[in-house]
Amino acid sequence: MKSNTEKFGKAPHQPSLWTRADALKVHADDPTTTQPLVSADFPVLSNEVFIWDTMPLRDLDGNITSVDGWSVIFTLTADRHPNDPEYIDENGNYDITRDWNDRHGRAKMYYWFSRTGKDWKLGGRVMAEGVSPTAREWAGTPILLNEQGDVDLYYTAVTPGATIVKVRGRVVTTEHGVSMVGFEKVKPLFEADGKMYQTEAQNPFWGFRDPWPFRDPNDGKLYMLFEGNVAGERGSHKVGKAEIGDVPPGYEDVGNSRFQTACVGIAVARDEDGDDWEMLPPLLTAVGVNDQTERPHFVFQDGKYYLFTISHTFTYADGVTGPDGVYGFVADSLFGPYVPLNGSGLVLGNPSSQPFQTYSHCVMPNGLVTSFIDSVPTDESGTQIRIGGTEAPTVEIRIKGQQTFVVAEYDYGYIPPMLDVTLK
Ligand code: FRU
């Protein structure tokens, strides 16, 4: 098999840059790019488990798909420990905040089903204990492959290392519910290479995760987006003119922003089934701007590529900032160039009065945006909080050219199907 460089004769594209100048245009609390306030009296999906990253079942073209009338979502999930002595504080109270903060270390993939696209019922764990090769089952994408109900779950196997993997199983429905069968053999696909994508050896705080496979609507080939950091030893990156962009006088100082090196990675499949992948240079880099561009995903609309990715306030570099939320970029072709939506990139951020109310937004092709509730203040000062670990209200955005607008809000965890597949 020829490598990509052999086939194209040169690297196929230059990464697009999210610059510091772009990020200076980020403004929290612009009502057109701010998620409505989440009330502290939200319902929780389950008192037994926390859920966070939500992954609706979809096809390779991005359509959210129900099967035999059942909607299905996968979630990163961890047990809640209200009675575990380890999470009882010195006053005898359940320390839910610590339990919630520890969840990443025990994240497992669960699935849920629903007839209504909300009011989700817990199906259970996707893989039995011992199937996944590492401690943490981190985010990815479940893909419905055909009318037989075959499902490829792409996800990230983390600790030790971080490997993009996939596991094949099948969705089975009855009139009472949905079950996931199979999911017994996990196939490692690839890891960071240290040449394009930063490795753990180069930076212990590296990110390499969150696979999002898709079929390119134009060339019909199978690709995958993922989160990465730009390769190189931690601290060795240069924040030069290109990364800074066109800034006003007084904004040239980049401080320690060389430590923030997020990128959106892309790989192309060498085979039809997506078992053999080749990493390509990143689509987008944020060196000197932000250290995390998580869960990257596309909406294909009006012949354009809308690239969305989630990011945090705490991962911004010195001298730039923005809310936790989803950011977006648009291009006329897959390999760019990408320009930030709304000038800045910000598409849907948390209001500054409730900076952690939601996270892990996923923009669906129908303009609906799902996310989870992290924590919501319960008093004026914001010192008392209520932990979520459950689905947030769904928000609708309208995407028009290079702009986006918040236009509506729906019920908690409302993820309606865009098409239904009758299983054979
Ligand atoms: C986003 C995220 C993902 C990761 C998971 C770990 O919320 O950070 O990038 O896969 O959560 O819990």
Side-chain angles (χ1 to χ4, degrees):
M1 175 55 74
K2 281 189 172 168
S3 79
N4 197 65
T5 321
E6 285 171 291
K7 263 185 300 188
F8 292 91
K10 59 181 173 60
H13 63 279
Q14 290 289 321
S16 300
L17 269 57
W18 186 23
T19 66
R20 291 175 61 85
D22 299 329
L24 285 173
K25 290 181 181 286
V26 171
H27 288 297
D29 298 321
D30 170 342
T32 67
T33 54
T34 298
Q35 181 142 10
L37 284 172
V38 173
S39 163
D41 62 2
F42 55 81
V44 297
L45 216 48
S46 163
N47 287 313
E48 272 75 59
V49 293
F50 294 121
I51 64 104
W52 60 108
D53 294 7
T54 298
M55 301 157 259
L57 184 67
R58 65 163 174 85
D59 65 18
L60 274 175
D61 303 312
N63 302 301
I64 310 301
T65 309
S66 59
V67 280
D68 296 334
W70 289 106
S71 288
V72 180
I73 54 172
F74 288 43
T75 58
L76 293 192
T77 306
D79 289 340
R80 295 175 186 248
H81 295 117
N83 302 312
D84 184 334
E86 206 199 313
Y87 290 101
I88 306 297
D89 66 18
E90 63 272 14
N91 302 319
N93 298 319
Y94 171 38
D95 188 349
I96 185 173
T97 303
R98 196 158 56 80
D99 197 9
W100 171 243
N101 291 339
D102 284 354
R103 73 192 186 280
H104 301 286
R106 55 179 200 278
K108 307 289 178 211
M109 244 343 137
Y110 277 61
Y111 70 96
W112 306 71
F113 54 88
S114 154
R115 277 285 188 212
T116 58
K118 54 186 188 177
D119 305 314
W120 299 96
K121 292 192 185 56
L122 183 56
R125 237 181 120 170
V126 178
M127 287 167 281
E129 182 63 30
V131 168
S132 197
T134 61
R136 306 169 182 213
E137 301 168 13
W138 276 14
T141 310
I143 301 285
L144 180 68
L145 293 171
N146 52 40
E147 294 176 333
Q148 282 68 49
D150 290 320
V151 172
D152 265 349
L153 173 62
Y154 291 78
Y155 72 99
T156 324
V158 176
T159 315
T163 309
I164 292 183
V165 302
K166 75 184 229 184
V167 56
R168 185 166 294 186
R170 203 154 52 83
V171 53
V172 176
T173 68
T174 67
E175 60 186 273
H176 305 294
V178 168
S179 43
M180 292 290 161
V181 299
F183 298 99
E184 282 160 1
K185 227 177 133 262
V186 175
K187 186 181 165 90
L189 298 178
F190 54 89
E191 292 174 28
D193 60 348
K195 298 197 177 81
M196 292 183 283
Y197 298 99
Q198 197 173 45
T199 58
E200 185 172 15
Q202 293 173 332
N203 175 7
F205 310 106
W206 93 126
F208 194 77
R209 53 182 184 261
D210 303 348
W212 197 88
F214 65 99
R215 194 178 2 242
D216 176 17
N218 286 309
D219 74 14
K221 286 201 280 185
L222 182 57
Y223 293 91
M224 187 200 293
L225 298 178
F226 53 87
E227 172 189 2
N229 289 98
V230 175
E233 293 295 326
R234 179 172 158 79
S236 71
H237 296 76
K238 298 271 174 295
V239 183
K241 274 201 161 71
E243 289 77 15
I244 297 172
D246 298 314
V247 293
Y251 287 83
E252 302 85 356
D253 181 2
V254 300
N256 282 323
S257 68
R258 67 183 180 284
F259 293 109
Q260 279 68 43
T261 62
C263 67
V264 172
I266 185 166
V268 61
R270 295 190 178 104
D271 63 335
E272 293 279 304
D273 284 343
D275 287 322
D276 185 13
W277 292 86
E278 178 178 349
M279 281 180 275
L280 303 176
L283 282 187
L284 182 86
T285 60
V287 173
V289 177
N290 202 306
D291 205 34
Q292 290 189 4
T293 46
E294 305 192 283
R295 297 195 69 199
H297 55 284
F298 273 125
V299 168
F300 309 114
Q301 187 190 300
D302 306 328
K304 295 188 192 304
Y305 293 79
Y306 287 93
L307 172 62
F308 295 99
T309 177
I310 53 172
S311 197
H312 291 287
T313 305
F314 85 90
T315 54
Y316 267 99
D318 281 355
V320 280
T321 188
D324 276 31
V326 61
Y327 291 75
F329 304 82
V330 60
D332 291 326
S333 68
L334 175 58
F335 291 105
Y338 283 87
V339 300
L341 290 171
N342 303 317
S344 65
L346 180 60
V347 168
L348 189 65
N350 284 332
S352 54
S353 61
Q354 302 201 154
F356 304 112
Q357 66 170 16
T358 62
Y359 192 58
S360 209
H361 302 72
C362 171
V363 184
M364 297 176 272
N366 52 12
L368 297 188
V369 188
T370 174
S371 61
F372 72 86
I373 300 177
D374 186 316
S375 66
V376 175
T378 53
D379 66 350
E380 281 292 301
S381 68
T383 47
Q384 300 293 319
I385 55 166
R386 181 170 174 222
I387 295 288
T390 187
E391 297 288 343
T394 295
V395 172
E396 183 176 2
I397 61 168
R398 192 90 9 102
I399 303 170
K400 280 189 191 164
Q402 300 192 359
Q403 291 189 304
T404 66
F405 300 86
V406 171
V407 292
E409 190 184 28
Y410 300 92
D411 216 342
Y412 299 90
Y414 180 50
I415 303 173
M418 298 171 57
L419 52 90
D420 184 58
V421 171
T422 306
L423 298 183
K424 298 242 158 72

